[in-house]
Amino acid sequence: VHGSSNAVHGVRSLRCDIRIEKDEKAVGHALCNYVKEAAKTAIEARGHFALAIPGGSILKMLSTMKDDKSVDWSKTTMAYVNHRAVPNEDETATHLKAKRLFLDEWEKEGLKVLTLSGSTDAMVEADKYANSLRVLPENVLPRDKQTGFPMFDLMLIGVGLDGHIGSLYPDREEVMDKDKWVLPVVKSSSSSITLSLPLIKSSRKIVVASAGKSEKYPLGKAEAMVRALEKNETPSTFPASALRNCATWIMDDGAAELLSKKV
């Protein structure tokens, strides 16, 4: 349990794996602390830190670590949870957005980033991305001895109102795939690649962050959080629910508003 359940603000807990913070800034601060802690633990244990990040609001949260020197980025490899099948310099590319916000500085410190090759063919990009993970030695990206899936030290996840995580959307076949590491997600609007659900779940630590309101989410994520954590859902109906019992969930007061107040 993190903190007191009756605190007015700051950290409150409904269950042992849920942290509630005052606002988006506080959620971002907590998320960045998880990055620093996971990096320290992994580098002390085996000399390397494997991190996976999504796009969206988590990029803004990570931007506060732009000039952070507490993480040894030269001993870190970073992958994307999902990414559009577009050139890396495309304005919609998560890679470009991340570079502008913080990634350029991390790369100057020696961070290795696994990027797409820049084509618009999601099937080709998914295969290439899976291969870029497979060739990493186990001291860089360990494997689960039972399943063979890679084990990222820290997997950061955002949740859409429809429950999508990465590019795993409800009522699509990708979310049910049990074998592949990386999947193509072909859509008429824009295709992408995504890490598979079993790969995400094999991570040593998964942190889901949900906070703030935006043009895209004017009412925030309260409904999504209650569906992800409390309603009768399946990975197919609401993919984020698959992480219900294996992730740490950090959210602001608004996102937690509809959760039952049980400690």
Side-chain angles (χ1 to χ4, degrees):
V1 175
H2 306 274
S4 169
S5 63
N6 58 7
V8 175
H9 279 306
V11 178
R12 296 203 304 275
S13 177
L14 305 182
R15 303 173 191 81
C16 62
D17 58 352
I18 298 176
R19 293 182 54 160
I20 303 175
E21 302 280 356
K22 178 181 178 181
D23 53 27
E24 187 174 13
K25 183 178 179 181
V27 170
H29 180 74
L31 178 133
C32 290
N33 280 341
Y34 277 115
V35 174
K36 296 172 190 178
E37 291 168 11
K40 182 174 183 291
T41 299
I43 291 170
E44 285 179 354
R46 69 171 196 283
H48 206 84
F49 174 45
L51 169 69
I53 72 167
S57 60
I58 287 178
L59 295 181
K60 181 182 175 184
M61 295 179 188
L62 290 172
S63 69
T64 62
M65 290 182 66
K66 177 180 179 180
D67 299 312
D68 195 289
K69 298 294 194 289
S70 66
V71 174
D72 188 344
W73 299 116
S74 70
K75 295 178 180 177
T76 303
T77 296
M78 193 196 87
Y80 290 109
V81 177
N82 61 310
H83 199 287
R84 287 186 178 184
V86 293
N88 286 316
E89 64 276 9
D90 188 277
E91 288 295 325
T92 66
T94 295
H95 183 61
L96 179 63
K97 295 174 183 177
K99 284 178 71 67
R100 288 173 173 170
L101 286 170
F102 58 87
L103 205 54
D104 274 343
E105 296 304 315
W106 293 5
E107 288 187 291
K108 287 176 186 175
E109 296 295 322
L111 173 76
K112 180 182 178 183
V113 183
L114 302 181
T115 60
L116 281 67
S117 70
S119 82
T120 56
D121 189 327
M123 296 184 74
V124 168
E125 292 295 337
D127 285 343
K128 286 184 176 181
Y129 211 73
N131 287 335
S132 71
L133 295 175
R134 289 183 191 281
V135 299
L136 295 175
E138 290 202 28
N139 68 305
V140 172
L141 184 62
R143 313 297 197 267
D144 185 297
K145 287 180 171 57
Q146 289 185 315
T147 67
F149 279 104
M151 300 168 63
F152 280 89
D153 297 293
L154 182 61
M155 178 79 54
L156 301 180
I157 297 288
V159 179
L161 281 185
D162 63 355
H164 77 264
I165 52 176
S167 291
L168 297 172
Y169 292 91
D171 302 316
R172 285 184 60 100
E173 61 183 12
E174 294 89 6
V175 75
M176 303 309 294
D177 192 291
K178 292 179 170 54
D179 301 313
K180 291 184 179 177
W181 288 19
V182 184
L183 298 160
V185 182
V186 179
K187 301 174 74 176
S188 58
S189 53
S190 82
S191 296
S192 61
I193 69 165
T194 185
L195 302 183
S196 68
L197 184 56
L199 189 155
I200 290 171
K201 292 180 71 173
S202 74
S203 303
R204 295 186 189 276
K205 179 79 176 178
I206 306 168
V207 174
V208 181
S210 180
K213 298 177 181 179
S214 64
E215 190 174 310
K216 190 175 181 181
Y217 302 114
L219 300 178
K221 300 285 187 70
E223 186 180 350
M225 290 300 97
V226 79
R227 288 189 68 184
L229 292 165
E230 296 185 349
K231 298 297 184 182
N232 185 20
E233 303 283 358
T234 68
S236 183
T237 63
F238 206 77
S241 68
L243 305 181
R244 185 175 292 182
N245 298 315
C246 60
T248 295
W249 299 71
I250 319 172
M251 63 192 76
D252 63 4
D253 281 331
E257 188 175 356
L258 298 179
L259 296 177
S260 59
K261 300 298 189 283
K262 295 177 182 176
V263 178

